[in-house]
Amino acid sequence: MLDALTVAVSVTALALAAWCGFAAFRDQPTKDWHFAGMAVVTLLALAQLVTGVVQLARGEKADEGATIFIAYLVGAFAAVPAAGFLSLTERTRWGSATVAAGAVVLAVLEVRLHDIWGG
């Protein structure tokens, strides 16, 4: 798997977590620009999902197995959109906190994906 893409997803996810965490600290709900940030992070996670599946299709192998690797890829892809959807139902500071937590979860999943692949 591409280490640069893993780092990019992790860094942008942590930046999104800090941004939304600051909004929650300031007692603000998620705004349109937060959703733009979530879109960027989600596109990077989608690129990682596609890259991981293509590498498996080429015959490369994950150290801990393809099934668990794909499950983590799908979970990483879904973490931020799920948090964003939940933030729409909670239009208070807790919506921003939910997105921040989802972005932290994505960063942790990236570390685990790196370990599963064999990094």
Side-chain angles (χ1 to χ4, degrees), residues 67-108:
T67 304
I68 190 92
F69 181 69
I70 290 174
Y72 269 88
L73 280 174
V74 170
F77 171 70
V80 170
F85 179 73
L86 287 173
S87 77
L88 287 173
T89 63
E90 183 62 47
R91 301 303 296 167
T92 64
R93 70 186 289 172
W94 297 110
S96 295
T98 301
V99 174
V104 170
V105 166
L106 175 58
V108 171

Side-chain angles (χ1 to χ4, degrees), residues 2-117:
L2 298 174
D3 289 338
L5 188 55
T6 302
V7 169
V9 173
S10 298
V11 168
T12 56
L14 290 175
L16 179 66
W19 189 20
C20 290
F22 184 67
F25 174 75
R26 293 182 59 203
D27 202 22
Q28 296 177 341
T30 50
K31 307 272 187 194
D32 288 343
W33 56 81
H34 292 120
F35 287 99
M38 286 183 252
V40 169
V41 173
T42 302
L43 285 175
L44 286 172
L46 177 63
Q48 184 179 42
L49 173 69
V50 169
T51 301
V53 170
V54 166
Q55 285 183 327
L56 288 174
R58 284 188 192 162
E60 297 181 41
K61 302 216 183 288
D63 283 353
E64 296 185 27
T67 304
I68 190 92
F69 181 69
I70 290 174
Y72 269 88
L73 280 174
V74 170
F77 171 70
V80 170
F85 179 73
L86 287 173
S87 77
L88 287 173
T89 63
E90 183 62 47
R91 301 303 296 167
T92 64
R93 70 186 289 172
W94 297 110
S96 295
T98 301
V99 174
V104 170
V105 166
L106 175 58
V108 171
L109 287 173
E110 291 299 313
V111 172
R112 184 68 180 121
L113 272 170
H114 187 264
D115 290 341
I116 291 170
W117 185 256

